[in-house]
Amino acid sequence: MKPRKTLQLAYTVAAALLFVGILSYAAPPAKPPEKPLRIMYRSLTGKVMFDHKAHFSPERYGISCQDCHHHPGGEDTDLRACGDCHQPPTDAEPVPAACLDCHYPEDVEGMEMSKSVEAAHAQCIDCHREYDAGPVECLACHVP
């Protein structure tokens, strides 16, 4: 190949790559899923990967969102993560303000809130044991 043809080929390839790069950069981003697919929880005993799709898939467990996420109003549109409302009490605020958004003061006075790790663990393992489904061995969920 002659040097002039080689140079022309190099410029053509460079222009094509530049064009593809600009198109890739300008393309709209993929729409994020409406429901989270997987969440990784970090705990003292290792990381736990929670797969939403496996839990609400009819072929696997087929549970509804409300089985885990709840709100006193019971509205499907108001499903939130536990930590959005359940904040640990402090010395300055023995009953977190978030509790009083939904509960009456007399309903929560004197109640002891479990740690989020303990609550999540109890909810997961108790559900797996109750329905005899999914893993119940520690290392099936917890990875170092």
Side-chain angles (χ1 to χ4, degrees):
M1 215 185 224
K2 295 183 180 181
R4 181 180 168 108
K5 288 224 181 225
T6 305
L7 189 58
Q8 191 176 22
L9 179 64
Y11 283 136
T12 304
V13 169
L17 290 174
L18 178 64
F19 181 71
V20 169
I22 290 171
L23 278 179
S24 297
Y25 182 75
K31 183 182 172 198
E34 290 189 21
K35 296 179 181 175
L37 299 176
R38 287 180 284 168
I39 297 175
M40 183 185 310
Y41 295 102
R42 299 179 196 280
S43 68
L44 295 174
T45 56
K47 300 173 198 150
V48 175
M49 183 67 74
F50 178 81
D51 186 352
H52 273 93
K53 189 174 181 179
H55 285 80
F56 64 73
S57 164
E59 296 84 35
R60 296 286 301 272
Y61 304 120
I63 62 173
S64 71
C65 299
Q66 292 79 8
D67 289 336
C68 298
H69 297 275
H70 65 276
H71 189 267
E75 298 170 16
D76 294 350
T77 57
D78 199 16
L79 301 176
R80 296 184 250 170
C82 301
D84 289 350
C85 296
H86 292 268
Q87 298 294 325
T90 62
D91 290 338
E93 191 176 13
V95 175
C99 296
L100 302 178
D101 290 346
C102 301
H103 301 281
Y104 294 108
E106 58 271 12
D107 292 341
V108 294
E109 199 61 47
M111 288 181 67
E112 191 171 313
M113 191 182 319
S114 61
K115 294 179 183 177
S116 60
V117 172
E118 293 168 358
H121 188 264
Q123 185 175 22
C124 295
I125 198 73
D126 289 350
C127 189
H128 280 227
R129 286 182 178 151
E130 179 181 344
Y131 291 102
D132 195 26
V136 290
E137 302 83 25
C138 298
L139 293 178
C141 297
H142 293 265
V143 293

